[in-house]
Amino acid sequence: QYAQLKSRWAERMLAALHKHYPQTEGRVVAVDISTPLTIENYLRSGKGAAIGLDVTPARFVDEDEVAALDMRGPVDGLWLCGQDVLMCGQVLAAASGTICALRMLGPLAWLRFAFRAVRLLAPAAVASIWGERKWALRPASL
């Protein structure tokens, strides 16, 4: 029954994907649906809890709380990343690794990273706004 439920959700998600992005039809190789039971299985957490620490105002304004969750660990040279170091949630837990590495490397690494990201993403962003034209050429309508 659980596998059937996940399968139905996978079908619904694929239908929504193909509705908004028809070019993906027939190109999806694998689909996996995550549920609280999936989280409990992989994280060994109780009742499917994946969020971690409570997200309370103290977490962001209490100096002791903020210091305890800093990426610099209590041991010299120990850096921490993952869930709750930056913020709760799967995407931010993954992003915390990049942010931690950039903090370790210093401010110039941040600038290089930002420059490379803009250089990589700008052509695609502009192309999605202006269509298939060369991204450096502005359409006459703009």
Side-chain angles (χ1 to χ4, degrees):
Q1 188 178 21
Y2 177 67
Q4 290 174 337
L5 179 64
K6 284 181 67 168
S7 179
R8 283 197 309 258
W9 272 105
E11 290 170 12
R12 290 179 70 187
M13 293 292 127
L14 280 173
L17 174 71
H18 298 326
K19 177 182 176 185
H20 295 286
Y21 301 96
Q23 67 274 24
T24 62
E25 189 115 27
R27 296 183 175 185
V28 176
V29 177
V31 176
D32 188 21
I33 300 296
S34 176
T35 70
L37 288 176
T38 310
I39 293 167
E40 189 172 324
N41 180 55
Y42 288 111
L43 296 182
R44 302 286 186 232
S45 61
K47 299 178 185 172
I51 299 300
L53 300 176
D54 287 339
V55 181
T56 62
R59 182 171 174 172
F60 305 101
V61 296
D62 182 86
E63 288 182 31
D64 294 334
E65 186 101 16
V66 171
L69 293 173
D70 188 43
M71 289 179 173
R72 287 185 188 268
V75 177
D76 190 39
L78 175 66
W79 288 80
L80 307 171
C81 66
Q83 183 171 299
D84 294 319
V85 173
L86 178 62
M87 182 64 173
C88 64
Q90 186 176 6
V91 173
L92 292 174
S96 76
T98 302
I99 293 169
C100 183
L102 290 170
R103 279 192 65 191
M104 291 169 69
L105 295 172
L108 290 177
W110 279 98
L111 290 172
R112 279 193 306 270
F113 179 79
F115 177 75
R116 287 177 181 163
V118 168
R119 205 172 79 203
L120 175 70
L121 298 174
V126 172
S128 71
I129 294 167
W130 289 344
E132 295 298 319
R133 296 183 179 102
K134 290 239 183 233
W135 73 272
L137 301 175
R138 288 184 61 164
S141 62
L142 294 177

